[in-house]
Amino acid sequence: MTDIIQLLPDHVANQIAAGEVVQRPASVVKELLENAIDAGATNIQLLIKDAGKTLIQVADNGKGMSITDARLSFERHATSKIKLAEDLFQLQTKGFRGEALASIAAIAQVDLKTKPQEEEVGTHIQIKGSEVESQEACVTATGTVIHVKNLFYNIPARRNFLKSTAVETRHIIDEFQRVALAHSSIAFSMHHNGSEMFQLPVSNLRQRIVNIFGSKTNEKLVPVEEETELVNVTGFVGKPEFAKRSRGEQFFFVNNRYIKSPYLNHAVTAAFEGLLKDKSYPSYFLFLEVDPKSIDINIHPTKTEIKFDDEHALYAILRSSIKHSLGQFSVAPVLDFNRDANLDTPYDLETKSARTPQVEVDRDFNPFQEIKSKATSGSGFQPKRQTVPQENWEALYHGLDSKDENDFSKVEFESDAITGQLFETSKVSASSTTFQLQKKYIISPFKNGMILIDQHRAHCRILYEELLKSITVKAAVSQQLLFPLSLQLNVQEIEMLHHLREALEQTGFIFSKMKDGDVEITGIPTLITESEVSILLDQLLSDFENEIPDSGFLQTDLLAKSLAKSMAIKAGTQLDTVEQIAIVNGLFACKEPQLTPTNKKIFITLQAEDIEKKFM
């Protein structure tokens, strides 16, 4: 029998490793930023083009590499982080596998310039598909600058699997934010296609959070701090009233390493029990410091999964510490329902003793004294009194004898105030036979039975087709706001709104400003109120979080579905007869009245025969 097992060539082995380490441009960004941190950098600059597909550049002022180290860094399993297997349980660095640079060099064109502090000149290496094309001395600043160009140029199939530019940019921003939050003592900057997205100076954790997520984030944060023998917990959680529809602002860090842990996430959610609205998620930025011996990081190449020795104890400590912080800062509800918060002593007055109030009294004041001049009294305050001559009192009743002036039939009154309604009003006969069941269903009889309609789903279908028509055929009418509405969004959400702006303006939104974390809206669709705008946009951004389709129709379709779902009347809304009939008529005027935009059944029919069988 012939031998069939053979060693793979290096370039094939590197491409296999790259499949695990480099899943998308954001993976390259993560690995390069972590290498810069391990090199002791205090200032790190990230520059990307076309969401990292064309160029990813990371420049740092770390300790740099010698000629030998620079060349050896691109070999598989070559690392300066560990030497023995036991070192895996004493890790103080981000990387330790020695696979990142070798994997990146296997599927991209890499250009590296590096110089240590003690050397006069640096090293310039160019690698293409694991092949070293050139290595020479160069003049460069202390530190390392690495360019990764044309990612997946030699694996077209992998490049075709990449998402749209907007989605890949969002993933890069996610990785950048995670690294920047874990290291507030390092200055970071990020530029995309020539425009600055982040400029983060050295700061404390709270300032770093505010610099990343916007100035209004400061008022939303509640500090968490707990020290135990097992774990030290620090960081912040968001106040319940600022909970979001998505999980975008949820960060766990263990020993300054970002991790994903559904188990610990459940502990945070349990601490907020009874404080959150339905389908809302709290924000948190929590740092756990544990003994490196008690965790195992070597689970997955991305190093975002960690195994703990005692997860149950961590769960209990994390949950109780968050509950304690929410109660300490009066965020959790109190049992005293008659307590008036306005009567609480302010923090700055708690340690001060009470003073006797000084009351000034004008002892010369006489309310019955006739005032002749301001100089007659020694007091600065003088009441003014006006008298009406008695001889003119008859003039008040002049003209009451005239019959013409008392003819109220000629008086014109102002018409009743016009109030907006959910549906257009129309005359409805008294014999109308639509009914509402449990404030959720509309019952409408027909010749051979009756129809049971889900009012929320029906309104979704009606709005969906109206919105599609507004976006693609004719722009919808917009109602102007007397005062502009300002919203505070983070960089990711602003980026998503830029891609959706044109379609949103077709539905009736008017944006006057959309930059620097601020969105100013001067016009909204006629079907919604000003108080619903922030909720609607929050739900819209949540729906588009995972994907913004490149195709115009797919983007329009997803936008119409999201807006229709948010704007439609909810179950539990009381409808009058006019509104019930408007829904029924509007539904059966649609092109597809049977199914919602998400292919759910809108109504069912009950034939007379089916009803008769119930009585047999």
Side-chain angles (χ1 to χ4, degrees):
M1 180 177 177
T2 58
D3 298 331
I4 59 175
I5 297 177
Q6 58 183 346
L7 289 174
L8 290 175
D10 286 342
H11 71 279
V12 177
N14 286 340
Q15 287 192 6
I16 293 173
E20 294 181 339
V21 178
V22 184
Q23 299 172 0
R24 57 188 350 139
S27 306
V28 177
V29 171
K30 172 182 179 294
E31 297 294 343
L32 296 182
L33 289 178
E34 290 183 347
N35 282 346
I37 292 169
D38 288 340
T42 59
N43 192 334
I44 301 175
Q45 300 173 347
L46 170 64
L47 187 149
I48 59 175
K49 289 185 179 179
D50 299 329
K53 301 173 188 176
T54 302
L55 172 67
I56 299 172
Q57 174 185 310
V58 174
D60 67 70
N61 62 347
K63 57 187 179 183
M65 292 182 284
S66 64
I67 298 175
T68 305
D69 286 346
R71 180 64 177 268
L72 196 58
S73 64
F74 290 98
E75 298 296 329
R76 291 190 66 208
H77 304 302
T79 179
S80 62
K81 316 297 173 61
I82 62 173
K83 295 181 180 179
L84 303 173
E86 290 77 11
D87 294 341
L88 289 171
F89 298 96
Q90 292 290 343
L91 287 173
Q92 302 294 335
T93 58
K94 300 295 180 185
F96 55 87
R97 291 175 176 272
E99 287 185 317
L101 288 181
S103 300
I104 294 170
I107 43 86
Q109 299 168 358
V110 180
D111 187 299
L112 172 71
K113 291 182 180 179
T114 183
K115 184 182 86 69
Q117 177 72 39
E118 61 275 9
E119 298 290 339
E120 294 184 359
V121 293
T123 304
H124 182 197
I125 298 178
Q126 291 182 316
I127 297 180
K128 182 177 181 181
S130 296
E131 297 290 334
V132 178
E133 295 194 332
S134 68
Q135 178 176 340
E136 57 187 7
C138 71
V139 177
T140 183
T142 300
T144 302
V145 179
I146 185 167
H147 299 74
V148 178
K149 306 174 185 177
N150 301 323
L151 197 64
F152 299 124
Y153 80 99
N154 55 350
I155 313 177
R158 288 288 300 278
R159 191 175 180 90
N160 292 336
F161 277 113
L162 294 178
K163 302 292 185 181
S164 63
T165 299
V167 174
E168 294 299 340
T169 302
R170 187 178 62 79
H171 283 290
I172 291 174
I173 292 174
D174 283 343
E175 294 293 351
F176 178 84
Q177 289 177 348
R178 293 165 184 171
V179 175
L181 283 171
H183 301 277
S184 56
S185 59
I186 299 175
F188 288 89
S189 66
M190 176 178 171
H191 292 76
H192 181 217
N193 290 341
S195 62
E196 181 183 288
M197 299 193 72
F198 291 98
Q199 190 65 249
L200 308 176
V202 176
S203 60
N204 57 34
L205 177 59
R206 191 178 193 119
Q207 290 171 331
R208 178 57 57 88
I209 294 172
V210 170
N211 289 337
I212 292 177
F213 295 101
S215 57
K216 291 188 178 179
T217 311
N218 189 38
E219 63 186 75
K220 306 176 185 178
L221 300 178
V222 176
V224 178
E225 189 168 354
E226 191 72 36
E227 292 187 8
T228 66
E229 294 181 357
L230 182 64
V231 60
N232 293 338
V233 181
T234 57
F236 299 89
V237 295
K239 295 180 180 178
E241 59 265 32
F242 298 107
K244 293 200 166 189
R245 295 270 183 172
S246 63
R247 303 176 185 267
E249 295 181 5
Q250 296 184 340
F251 297 89
F252 272 122
F253 299 93
V254 174
N255 296 349
N256 284 338
R257 184 189 300 277
Y258 173 79
I259 67 160
K260 296 177 181 178
S261 176
Y263 187 68
L264 295 182
N265 178 74
H266 189 274
V268 178
T269 307
F272 279 88
E273 186 178 2
L275 300 176
L276 298 175
K277 298 179 182 178
D278 186 33
K279 295 182 180 179
S280 296
Y281 304 98
S283 301
Y284 55 79
F285 311 87
L286 296 173
F287 290 75
L288 282 65
E289 291 184 18
V290 299
D291 186 354
K293 295 180 181 179
S294 65
I295 59 175
D296 185 5
I297 304 170
N298 193 23
I299 302 295
H300 192 272
T302 59
K303 299 185 284 289
T304 57
E305 298 179 19
I306 289 182
K307 289 292 184 183
F308 296 94
D309 278 354
D310 193 350
E311 280 191 331
H312 297 288
L314 280 176
Y315 183 101
I317 293 171
L318 189 61
R319 180 175 176 270
S320 61
S321 60
I322 294 173
K323 267 187 169 293
H324 175 72
S325 294
L326 292 175
Q328 184 180 6
F329 290 89
S330 301
V331 175
V334 293
L335 295 177
D336 184 6
F337 296 103
N338 295 321
R339 170 177 167 271
D340 188 354
N342 295 323
L343 300 179
D344 291 346
T345 305
Y347 289 114
D348 56 344
L349 298 179
E350 281 185 342
T351 58
K352 297 181 180 180
S353 58
R355 296 185 306 172
T356 304
Q358 300 294 327
V359 181
E360 296 182 3
V361 180
D362 183 7
R363 301 185 182 279
D364 297 330
F365 175 68
N366 183 358
F368 303 101
Q369 181 179 357
E370 194 73 20
I371 300 172
K372 296 181 180 179
S373 65
K374 293 184 180 180
T376 58
S377 175
S379 172
F381 171 76
Q382 294 293 340
K384 295 183 179 180
R385 183 181 300 168
Q386 293 182 351
T387 57
V388 180
Q390 293 184 357
E391 61 270 13
N392 294 332
W393 66 271
E394 297 91 343
L396 298 173
Y397 303 95
H398 177 71
L400 290 181
D401 294 336
S402 175
K403 294 183 179 180
D404 293 338
E405 294 184 3
N406 291 335
D407 188 4
F408 291 101
S409 62
K410 299 180 180 180
V411 178
E412 294 184 0
F413 295 95
E414 186 179 355
S415 59
D416 294 339
I418 300 174
T419 57
Q421 293 186 355
L422 186 62
F423 305 99
E424 295 181 0
T425 58
S426 59
K427 293 184 179 180
V428 181
S429 62
S431 60
S432 176
T433 51
T434 59
F435 305 96
Q436 191 179 23
L437 177 64
Q438 296 181 345
K439 297 182 181 180
K440 184 176 181 181
Y441 304 103
I442 298 173
I443 300 175
S444 178
F446 64 98
K447 185 175 180 180
N448 297 323
M450 60 180 175
I451 299 177
L452 191 62
I453 303 172
D454 186 306
Q455 64 186 36
H456 173 71
R457 294 183 180 183
H459 200 205
C460 273
R461 166 52 67 176
I462 296 168
L463 291 174
Y464 170 72
E465 295 199 3
E466 288 182 1
L467 288 166
L468 277 183
K469 190 182 299 182
S470 300
I471 298 173
T472 58
V473 181
K474 184 179 179 181
V477 179
S478 175
Q479 56 178 336
Q480 300 295 312
L481 298 178
L482 184 60
F483 300 102
L485 180 64
S486 296
L487 300 176
Q488 185 81 19
L489 301 178
N490 59 41
V491 176
Q492 290 171 277
E493 294 167 338
I494 294 285
E495 192 75 15
M496 292 168 65
L497 273 186
H498 274 298
H499 287 86
L500 301 173
R501 179 170 184 169
E502 184 177 351
L504 284 172
E505 288 178 343
Q506 289 290 106
T507 65
F509 283 97
I510 298 177
F511 298 96
S512 58
K513 180 184 178 183
M514 194 184 291
K515 63 178 181 178
D516 300 331
D518 291 322
V519 174
E520 193 172 84
I521 302 173
T522 56
I524 59 176
T526 56
L527 295 173
I528 63 174
T529 60
E530 187 175 347
S531 60
E532 297 173 330
V533 173
S534 61
I535 300 173
L536 187 146
L537 288 180
D538 192 21
Q539 179 63 52
L540 177 68
L541 294 172
S542 176
D543 291 339
F544 275 84
E545 183 179 11
N546 294 323
E547 180 65 69
I548 300 180
D550 282 333
S551 169
F553 173 75
L554 292 177
Q555 181 174 314
T556 300
D557 181 65
L558 185 56
L559 176 64
K561 287 178 181 177
S562 178
L563 291 177
K565 180 182 176 183
S566 300
M567 295 163 62
I569 55 172
K570 304 295 186 287
T573 304
Q574 181 71 45
L575 302 179
D576 58 29
T577 307
V578 175
E579 294 169 338
Q580 294 171 27
I581 292 178
I583 282 189
V584 175
N585 294 340
L587 175 64
F588 290 102
C590 293
K591 294 180 179 179
E592 179 52 77
Q594 296 184 352
L595 299 174
T596 66
T598 54
N599 294 323
K600 293 181 180 178
K601 189 178 292 187
I602 295 177
F603 64 86
I604 59 172
T605 58
L606 292 176
Q607 300 291 337
E609 296 81 2
D610 299 330
I611 299 174
E612 290 174 359
K613 289 178 182 178
K614 299 292 183 182
F615 293 93
M616 294 178 66

